[in-house]
Amino acid sequence: MTPEDPLAARVAALEESLASLTAEVRALREVVSDAKGPAQAAPRPRRRIIGARGRRLDPRDIEGLLGRYGMLAIAVLAAVAAVGTFLSWAIARGYLVLGPAARVLLGLAFATGIAVWGIRLRRTERSFGSSMLGLALVVAQICAYAAGPSFHLVSTPLAFVLAAASSWALAIFAHAENDEPLWCVGFGGATMAPFVTADGHASVFVVAAYGAIVLLPACFAISHRDWPVAWRVFYLASAVLTIAAAAQAHTEHLPGYLAAFGLPLAIAAGGVIPFAPVTRKRGALRWLALLSIGASLVAHGPLTTTMPFAAAMIVAACLWLGIVDHNASVAQSSIVKRGRELPAFLDWIDAAGVPLLLGVQAVNLLDRPIDSVVAYAVLLAALLVFAWRRAVGPLRDAAAFAAVVSAVGAIDFVRPEMPTGRVAAFLVIGLASLALHKLRPSRSWLVMGGVVVIAAAATATNALAARPVYQITPFATEASLASLLVTAALVLISRFWYWVRVATRASIADRAEWTYAGMLRVVVRGVTVAPWVWAFIWVMLELAMAYSASTATLLLVTYFAATAVACVAAGRARHSARLRQTGLALALVAAATACVGATSYFDLGTRVVAYLVTSAFLLGIAYWYRRPGNEDTGSRAVT
């Protein structure tokens, strides 16, 4: 043996050990794969069907989808339609010797046969066998529905107990087996049972009860699993059953509306909240809330009283805010992929869109203004509590926006006296919103507070302009009082603008929002001059409509000239070029107004007075600008 033989022997032994280890790992992988079955195998990366712009669709992808899912769905629907059509035809015609009981038993025997076949298939073809078991449940649900509401062989409650038992049996089995195809076929097909056996006289209570019997076990069977196909089937099934219940709600009047409205909420409370995974929970809850709002739209039918239905919607809005608050830490999810990329938009739907839609719909059902005010007040209280509890971010912003909208909506039903009462109400809401911005910073408090104050100013301006021209005494009308309230509110806001600015900085959640925050800071700084601008406009409108055309024009000439002098004086004292330039502009306006009045309205004496007043004020301004030592104005003494 050569000296290299020991080294060669070691290399050969190492290669043999590596080959043995590789074989053992391969065998172990096959054992684990067989134990889990096809449904538990590692998911293969799915190929995209629709790619970027310009990319052609792969026919093999479409073929795979149609073959795996499309054909199975069509087959299940066809089987459901076949059994349901047979039973419906038997009800209408009675051609067969078999009675209704025998027909139902025949359907159950058919379901049993499919179930046995499915169990046997699962030994070799797990996915297809699961689909057959689901189809067996579908046939059993059709027979149960036919035996109760259709054939009346047994009482409807008993038939639904049997349907619930079969649904829960399948739910427990699918949950234990972790089998998505079994879930999709079973519960997706069971959704269609009322439609293939119905005789056109379904009851909203029957449909709602059947929906709860099907969807609650369906949620349990999912039980914190992120099954993409199953959740799409759930969205579709819940929509179909809710729409079906809402379509029959008018037959039972108020109880029917409540049943259709409450079905999605019951599924959310009893199914989605306890069983949905975090990746689906908020999206599924939002979907059910929107379905409930859609069902409430049928409430425009003939109702003798709408108070209970409206109260139910307000209570639902409050409960919804509690649900959103409880799940605020859960990541956003949506049925639409684009929505998942915009979590802030989804937060706005949750905290503003859903509550406001429920509140507005409830108010539309109420006849008395006091009832509408109470509805908005309850909703407002719930939104304030929600906004107070949430941290700085989209949820607080959305709730703050909805709260201000609710408060303004209540004003329309309080119907305060015009214009003073409405202006005062708007100012109270605006000041309260800005105060809440200091306590719980939110851009919505700031923006909506400013919008409401501007609305108050616009209301006061309309009242000033609506007075009879040249027939009023300046500052002695109700519109003048409303304008005074606006002035006081703007002065108050300007006085505390520093604290508003500090709160605005605190409402910036991250550096990416600095651009928008910069715009808000400009708005906040603008409120410092708002009282002066508003006071100037107010006084101008008062004088422009006073007594007569000549008197009003003379008052305006004096007012513009005096204001010009005041602005120049303030600009000199504060070394503010903007104030001085504003004063010069007003001086020119005063001169132009005097010229217009001289040619159109003034008699000889008034014309002389107007020219003298304008000349006196403008000479004073010129004197200031020509005095030595006015370096900040850019002027030089003339010798």
Side-chain angles (χ1 to χ4, degrees):
M1 184 175 290
T2 61
E4 290 80 2
D5 287 339
L7 180 60
R10 290 182 181 179
V11 172
L14 182 61
E15 291 177 349
E16 183 179 359
S17 299
L18 182 60
S20 177
L21 180 61
T22 301
E24 289 178 2
V25 170
R26 185 181 297 111
L28 181 61
R29 183 180 298 170
E30 291 175 357
V31 171
V32 172
S33 178
D34 292 339
K36 288 186 176 181
Q40 290 297 319
R44 295 179 300 173
R46 293 184 297 175
R47 302 178 63 182
R48 295 183 62 186
I49 298 176
I50 301 177
R53 182 177 298 179
R55 179 180 174 183
R56 298 181 62 183
L57 297 178
D58 191 343
R60 290 175 296 180
D61 290 334
I62 301 177
E63 176 188 353
L65 274 179
L66 290 178
R68 289 174 58 84
Y69 299 106
M71 296 300 101
L72 179 60
I74 295 174
V76 171
L77 291 176
V80 171
V83 176
T85 302
F86 169 76
L87 294 176
S88 299
W89 177 80
I91 296 172
R93 302 283 182 171
Y95 288 156
L96 296 178
V97 178
L98 297 176
R103 297 166 195 159
V104 172
L105 291 176
L106 182 61
L108 291 175
F110 180 57
T112 304
I114 296 177
V116 172
W117 183 37
I119 292 173
R120 296 187 63 180
L121 279 175
R122 280 174 59 86
R123 299 173 185 174
T124 56
E125 297 289 341
R126 177 186 173 93
S127 178
F128 192 74
S130 298
S131 301
M132 293 302 101
L133 283 177
L135 181 58
L137 169 71
V138 174
V139 177
Q141 295 281 23
I142 293 174
C143 294
Y145 197 90
S150 296
F151 282 170
H152 302 290
L153 297 176
V154 297
S155 63
T156 298
L158 178 59
F160 280 2
V161 168
L162 297 176
S166 61
S167 295
W168 277 103
L170 180 66
I172 294 172
F173 184 72
H175 175 72
E177 294 295 316
N178 194 24
D179 199 328
E180 183 179 11
L182 176 61
W183 189 101
C184 293
V185 175
F187 291 103
T191 303
M192 305 304 298
F195 306 100
V196 298
T197 59
D199 56 359
H201 301 285
S203 169
V204 60
F205 303 117
V206 171
V207 176
Y210 183 82
I213 287 173
V214 170
L215 294 177
L216 289 177
C219 293
F220 169 77
I222 291 179
S223 192
H224 304 95
R225 293 180 175 88
D226 191 5
W227 288 340
V229 179
W231 277 104
R232 287 175 174 82
V233 173
F234 173 80
Y235 292 143
L236 180 60
S238 58
V240 168
L241 292 171
T242 301
I243 293 172
Q248 299 295 328
H250 67 279
T251 60
E252 303 293 340
H253 300 289
L254 180 60
Y257 294 136
L258 292 175
F261 175 74
L263 173 60
L265 302 179
I267 303 305
V272 173
I273 292 178
F275 299 122
V278 294
T279 55
R280 298 284 181 178
K281 180 170 292 186
R282 294 187 69 177
L285 289 173
R286 185 182 309 109
W287 174 255
L288 292 172
L290 294 176
L291 287 178
S292 184
I293 293 172
S296 69
L297 296 177
V298 303
H300 293 291
L303 289 177
T304 56
T305 176
T306 56
M307 175 68 74
F309 196 17
M313 283 189 281
I314 294 297
V315 172
C318 297
L319 293 176
W320 170 254
L321 289 172
I323 292 173
V324 174
D325 180 69
H326 181 72
N327 294 281
S329 59
V330 177
Q332 271 289 7
S333 57
S334 172
I335 187 175
V336 182
K337 181 180 179 181
R338 181 62 178 171
R340 294 191 293 271
E341 299 173 356
L342 301 171
F345 175 73
L346 298 179
D347 284 338
W348 272 79
I349 295 177
D350 291 343
V354 172
L356 282 179
L357 287 174
L358 288 170
V360 171
Q361 183 65 11
V363 169
N364 288 338
L365 295 176
L366 298 173
D367 297 327
R368 298 189 304 171
I370 185 61
D371 295 335
S372 301
V373 172
V374 172
Y376 271 130
V378 173
L379 181 60
L380 173 62
L383 289 167
L384 289 176
V385 172
F386 179 88
W388 193 271
R389 288 176 51 84
R390 300 308 331 139
V392 172
L395 283 176
R396 182 190 285 183
D397 292 342
F401 169 82
V404 177
V405 171
S406 299
V408 173
I411 296 301
D412 289 335
F413 293 95
V414 173
R415 297 174 183 173
E417 180 184 0
M418 285 289 292
T420 307
R422 181 173 290 270
V423 169
F426 282 165
L427 291 176
V428 169
I429 294 174
L431 293 175
S433 180
L434 295 176
L436 286 170
H437 175 66
K438 180 181 182 301
L439 298 175
R440 284 290 188 272
S442 169
R443 291 170 296 183
S444 292
W445 292 131
L446 181 63
V447 173
M448 294 302 293
V451 168
V452 175
V453 171
I454 292 174
T459 303
T461 302
N462 290 334
L464 289 172
R467 298 174 301 176
V469 181
Y470 307 138
Q471 299 180 21
I472 63 167
T473 301
F475 309 104
T477 62
E478 188 175 358
S480 304
L481 177 59
S483 301
L484 178 62
L485 294 177
V486 174
T487 306
L490 292 176
V491 170
L492 183 63
I493 295 172
S494 176
R495 174 66 179 81
F496 294 100
W497 73 273
Y498 173 77
W499 303 108
V500 175
R501 184 176 65 180
V502 171
T504 302
R505 290 176 177 174
S507 67
I508 302 172
D510 54 65
R511 299 291 298 182
E513 297 182 359
W514 275 110
T515 301
Y516 191 74
M519 183 184 69
L520 290 180
R521 287 197 298 272
V522 171
V523 174
V524 172
R525 291 171 183 172
V527 302
T528 59
V529 299
W532 302 101
V533 174
W534 167 254
F536 176 81
I537 295 174
W538 171 31
V539 175
M540 181 182 68
L541 291 176
E542 292 281 0
L543 298 179
M545 306 175 71
Y547 305 118
S548 65
S550 60
T551 303
T553 306
L554 181 59
L555 291 174
L556 285 177
V557 170
T558 306
Y559 176 59
F560 290 149
T563 306
V565 173
C567 287
V568 172
R572 285 169 54 83
R574 295 176 175 269
H575 302 284
S576 173
R578 291 184 179 179
L579 278 176
R580 295 194 304 269
Q581 293 163 5
T582 302
L584 291 176
L586 287 174
L588 296 177
V589 172
T593 305
C595 293
V596 171
T599 57
S600 302
Y601 305 112
F602 295 159
D603 54 20
L604 179 61
T606 307
R607 188 182 311 168
V608 172
V609 173
Y611 283 148
L612 288 177
V613 169
T614 304
S615 176
F617 283 112
L618 268 60
L619 283 174
I621 294 175
Y623 170 75
W624 276 336
Y625 271 90
R626 297 176 64 84
R627 286 184 60 186
N630 288 331
E631 289 81 4
D632 59 336
T633 64
S635 62
R636 292 293 183 268
V638 179
T639 60

